[in-house]
Amino acid sequence: MNTQQHNQQVYVVGSQQLQNALLTEFLVKEEIAARSIPSVSDITVATLKEFDQSLFLVDYHSVDVNEVIAHLLEADQEVENDVLIAVFNVDSDESLSKLAGLPMVNGGFQHDCPQALLSKGIKAIFDGELWFPRAVLQAYLMKSRTFNKTFSRSEVNLTDREVEVLKVMATGAKNSEIASSLNLSPHTIKTHIYNIFKKINASNRLQAVNWAQENL
């Protein structure tokens, strides 16, 4: 296992103990550090500080994804580390498209996803990628444009620094890479990103990147 993976942890979240145990065992065999937990209620700021990157792999059928987001969003603002969410056991492209619009959700896997693809997707998410089927991403972006949920450039008063952060983010850079590029702390980058999301009315990174490509 390489050094980078020592700084990454997957938490398999769900109430189906046997399924989660088997999934956790598979990930460990793939050299992905993983453990199974029934919920995120016991996850604290101190827990999140233990690893550079924590990915919560949430069972779509046994856990309320919105509750996971609410709990982790609050904790995430107090740590510099990357906190990520992906959802597995999703039953349709339509459900995946809805998940793509949620804060912190960086990927989704359908119930019939092959194990090898799950492993590949998790590693890609750790590398800063969004992991959804192309058709799902396209449908989500088209829907976002149709409803015009984000504000136009003329309606948004971004600071020069926020524009810099957004431009680097639009290249696909992770928070740690943005911080390094702009010589700022990861915590400062997180603060800028939260402010950017609020100003442009974006709920997640995908919307923000799409907004930057159309407006900057």
Side-chain angles (χ1 to χ4, degrees), residues 159-184:
T159 65
D160 290 343
R161 179 63 85 186
E162 287 166 351
V163 170
E164 285 182 326
V165 170
L166 194 48
K167 284 181 176 178
V168 180
M169 188 201 301
T171 67
K174 295 183 288 188
N175 286 7
S176 57
E177 293 168 340
I178 300 172
S180 177
S181 173
L182 299 179
N183 198 27
L184 297 169

Side-chain angles (χ1 to χ4, degrees), residues 122-184:
I122 288 171
K123 291 173 182 177
I125 291 169
F126 274 134
D127 284 339
E129 296 181 31
L130 289 167
W131 191 267
F132 291 97
R134 183 179 297 275
V136 167
L137 285 177
Q138 288 176 336
Y140 172 71
L141 288 174
M142 290 302 294
K143 184 178 178 182
S144 294
R145 288 172 180 167
T146 301
F147 286 99
N148 195 27
K149 292 178 182 175
T150 52
F151 299 128
S152 67
R153 181 70 178 96
S154 61
E155 296 176 285
V156 177
N157 183 26
L158 294 175
T159 65
D160 290 343
R161 179 63 85 186
E162 287 166 351
V163 170
E164 285 182 326
V165 170
L166 194 48
K167 284 181 176 178
V168 180
M169 188 201 301
T171 67
K174 295 183 288 188
N175 286 7
S176 57
E177 293 168 340
I178 300 172
S180 177
S181 173
L182 299 179
N183 198 27
L184 297 169

Side-chain angles (χ1 to χ4, degrees), residues 58-60 63-70 85 87 99 102 105:
V58 180
D59 179 10
Y60 184 74
V63 178
D64 184 335
V65 179
N66 287 298
E67 287 185 5
V68 173
I69 292 169
I85 297 173
V87 185
L99 290 168
L102 297 177
V105 177

